[in-house]
Amino acid sequence: MTDSPAFRPEPRTPRGFQDRRARDLRVEREILAQVSAVYEQYGFEALDTSAFEYADALGKFLPDSDRPNEGVFALQDDDEQWMALRYDLTAPLARFAAQHWETLPKPFRRYAYGPVWRNEKPGPGRFREFIQCDADTVGSARPEADAEIVALAVAGLEAAGLPRGTAVLKLNNRKLLNGLLSAAGVADDHQKLAVLRAVDKLDRLGADGVRLLLGEGRKDESGAFTKGAGLNARGIEAVLAFVAAGGGSRTDVLARIADVIGGSAEGDEGLADLSRIDVALKGLGVAEDQAVFDPSIVRGLEYYTGAVFEAELLLDTVDEKGERLRFGSIGGGGRYDDLVARFTGERTPATGFSFGVSRLAAALRAAGREPGHQARGPVVIIAFSEADMAHYFEVAGELRGAGIAAEVYLGSSGMKAQMKYADRRMSPAAVMLGGDEIAAGTVTVKDLDLGRALAAKVTDNQTWRGERPGQATIRRAELVAFVRRIIEG
RNA sequence: GCCGCCUUAGCUCAGUUGGUUAGAGCGCCAGAUUGUGGCUCUGGAGGUCCUCAGUUCGAACCUGAGAGGUGGUACCA
């Protein structure tokens, strides 16, 4: 079965993908378990859809024959139809909702999590495959539906390990800026989008940088020029005054926005929406420090039609080298009333929130909030001799039956290496059942944590070997109870 | 996508003006210690010097192209 002997494939993870081991997985699974419980409490049902979608259902990046993989991983099925791996969970939801609209309970509330794929240049903390977790309501245009998504996001992040004060949900409404721009005579959609992109960079570039981007454009330190939105001076100042209207309670912000935005129909609508969201949030018990109105939150996406949300981490974070790290947004969402209409032709209001699970886990780690417990290995049963394997498996069975993770060492190395193996697996204990013990009806159990602690004080090898720290020989019948005591500390 | 920097052992990195056999620390394996993870000592394994082409008597080192990584920037569902 070997190929040409000269060929040795290099074992490596594909670019932008990653292997995740027990330590990372347990944190991520814990987050998902906690968040799922919260989402279900809020009345959202679980949904899992396929990894592949027909490319036309994903919308924006339709593969054409020249560049079928732009942005997405796509392939052509044997019936020549283009299929693509989903790049988020919102587009598949829109497809699902459109497909089953007649039979769904409406409004349809669902949460989903799973891998999504993006075929683009990977960067640090930016992968081509990652786990996303979404909750959405389809079929309710009420601002209260947005408010509930916000409340759920706040509760979800808290359950995921970010207690109150470590994160804040910021919200805004697209209608406000749209109304402002319309009133200023900006009708062109491209120009509006350019304004949104410019505002989106406020936290990074500051008001002066954004001012340039709203106008002619901006040259950055590397000399690259970014074309601006081309607003006139009055328009620029109006937008800047609007985005600066944040701060203080939600009521304060609303009052300030009302001053700045100055009566366009769409703007007034946005204000009314936010006001109703505020009332609902108060009823839902979402405090002023948990969810704030922030006019500078726009989200770069085209498809948002009303409320937009962004969850921001308030903790100081450091990377592996101890350098300060800006994490910024750890989740976001908003209202997208036109997405389902792509399939049905009927405007179907929808709103949702999503976050990257690995990213949140990385944020928790960077903030030193990673759930402390390390991934523990099984109790390792030392294998002394071929002839006694049956005894070892008997012990493994007993421990497993008692709900204790256990395994018989199945390598071919000597005892020293076996102890090392148990050490490396972070096993709580090693069980020794050699010829002596079997003959005497006893078993020797070593508490590896205790042994490690005791070993730190021993410098002399003779003592170390003589004392056998953390180790006890007990009657065979006491094994399970003894091991359980070690594990439970 | 564009601009800068980087690429030598599993990891972190040395490597003289271009000169013979490319090193260190950590890690790994083994022994000292017939049945004990730590410490210490001893030994060992491990390298297409990112790839290809060129310059040269001779390239880890110089030149070019490409790949990968990284930092900005753009885009971001």
Side-chain angles (χ1 to χ4, degrees):
Chain A
M1 262 324 280
T2 29
D3 290 327
S4 112
F7 178 68
R8 289 269 189 286
E10 189 189 338
R12 66 223 218 270
T13 29
R15 193 158 85 92
F17 289 77
Q18 57 180 340
D19 302 316
R20 283 141 58 238
R21 298 194 55 183
R23 177 191 164 83
D24 297 320
L25 288 175
R26 72 185 275 126
V27 174
E28 291 183 14
R29 286 176 183 172
E30 180 68 13
I31 289 173
L32 285 171
Q34 298 296 333
V35 170
S36 297
V38 168
Y39 287 5
E40 294 202 4
Q41 232 166 35
Y42 274 76
F44 287 68
E45 68 170 72
L47 175 71
D48 206 0
T49 58
S50 56
F52 272 103
E53 292 284 344
Y54 283 116
D56 55 8
L58 291 181
K60 199 170 170 186
F61 292 95
L62 294 177
D64 60 57
S65 47
D66 294 335
R67 308 171 68 183
N69 288 317
E70 185 68 10
V72 298
F73 291 100
L75 56 86
Q76 210 165 8
D77 206 357
D78 57 9
D79 61 4
E80 311 239 305
Q81 297 199 70
W82 280 101
M83 307 198 306
L85 287 171
R86 63 188 181 200
Y87 55 73
D88 70 7
L89 297 174
T90 311
L93 169 65
R95 186 225 89 210
F96 177 88
Q99 189 175 336
H100 301 286
W101 193 242
E102 269 70 37
T103 56
L104 286 177
K106 290 167 279 284
F108 179 57
R109 296 147 75 88
R110 74 91 246 226
Y111 74 95
Y113 58 81
V116 300
W117 296 267
R118 295 182 184 182
N119 188 8
E120 57 189 21
K121 187 187 153 188
R126 216 177 135 149
F127 298 95
R128 291 157 94 193
E129 176 186 52
F130 55 95
I131 314 290
Q132 230 177 31
C133 181
D134 280 40
D136 299 79
T137 298
V138 184
S140 173
R142 303 173 62 123
E144 289 79 9
D146 298 307
E148 244 203 336
I149 292 287
V150 169
L152 161 145
V154 167
L157 289 175
E158 188 169 334
L162 289 171
R164 189 167 167 177
T166 61
V168 63
L169 216 92
K170 299 179 163 182
L171 54 154
N172 188 15
N173 195 309
R174 278 284 175 87
K175 293 176 185 170
L176 297 170
L177 196 53
N178 268 335
L180 180 83
L181 290 171
S182 299
V186 177
D188 180 49
D189 279 348
H190 288 289
Q191 202 175 2
K192 283 185 180 173
L193 200 59
V195 170
L196 294 179
R197 289 195 189 125
V199 171
D200 203 24
K201 295 183 175 61
L202 183 68
D203 58 337
R204 196 152 44 84
L205 301 180
D208 291 337
V210 173
R211 192 189 314 273
L212 292 172
L213 283 176
L214 288 171
E216 291 305 306
R218 174 178 176 274
K219 191 183 275 192
D220 64 46
E221 303 80 44
S222 72
F225 183 76
T226 310
K227 197 170 178 296
L231 293 188
N232 60 31
R234 245 190 63 226
I236 291 172
E237 293 315 316
V239 169
L240 286 174
F242 170 70
V243 300
S249 75
R250 296 193 289 257
T251 321
D252 292 346
V253 179
L254 282 183
R256 231 172 291 135
I257 291 174
D259 282 348
V260 176
I261 202 156
S264 70
E266 200 178 1
D268 288 345
E269 217 178 284
L271 272 175
D273 285 356
L274 280 185
S275 171
R276 280 174 65 184
I277 288 176
D278 177 42
V279 171
L281 286 179
K282 286 196 169 93
L284 286 160
V286 177
E288 297 280 353
D289 65 327
Q290 294 176 297
V292 302
F293 289 153
D294 183 340
S296 70
I297 297 299
V298 295
R299 316 264 314 149
L301 312 185
E302 215 164 341
Y303 69 43
Y304 290 120
T305 54
V308 285
F309 331 124
E310 207 158 276
E312 196 179 303
L313 192 69
L314 298 176
L315 292 166
D316 279 338
T317 51
V318 292
D319 62 16
E320 301 85 28
K321 290 168 189 154
E323 280 170 41
R324 284 201 60 161
L325 203 63
R326 273 195 69 122
F327 244 94
S329 161
I330 48 169
R335 176 164 283 284
Y336 48 98
D337 287 346
D338 295 328
L339 217 54
V340 178
R342 287 190 53 246
F343 298 95
T344 61
E346 298 210 12
R347 195 158 210 251
T348 308
T351 182
F353 176 80
S354 91
F355 67 92
V357 177
S358 318
R359 196 174 159 72
L360 180 57
L364 289 171
R365 187 174 317 133
R369 300 231 164 200
E370 194 174 16
H373 40 74
Q374 229 175 331
R376 298 305 306 247
V379 170
V380 170
I381 295 135
I382 305 293
F384 289 95
S385 96
E386 208 63 47
D388 291 328
M389 289 303 282
H391 291 280
Y392 311 146
F393 283 121
E394 204 180 297
V395 167
E398 248 177 76
L399 290 170
R400 288 167 182 165
I404 297 168
E407 71 174 44
V408 177
Y409 175 79
L410 290 182
S412 52
S413 299
M415 181 165 182
K416 191 181 168 83
Q418 297 189 39
M419 293 300 295
K420 231 170 152 161
Y421 172 81
D423 189 43
R424 199 172 296 181
R425 289 294 301 275
M426 283 301 293
S427 303
V431 171
M432 283 160 273
L433 192 62
D436 299 347
E437 282 91 346
I438 292 171
T442 60
V443 62
T444 300
V445 180
K446 182 159 192 166
D447 181 335
L448 292 171
D449 288 349
L450 183 60
R452 208 188 329 271
L454 294 173
K457 296 170 198 144
V458 180
T459 49
D460 160 56
N461 183 252
Q462 213 63 37
T463 317
W464 159 253
R465 290 182 61 76
E467 274 188 9
R468 305 266 141 98
Q471 185 170 323
T473 299
I474 54 169
R475 288 210 317 280
R476 178 75 171 70
E478 295 169 342
L479 175 67
V480 168
F482 192 81
V483 170
R484 202 196 299 280
R485 265 201 303 281
I486 290 177
I487 291 175
E488 286 166 2

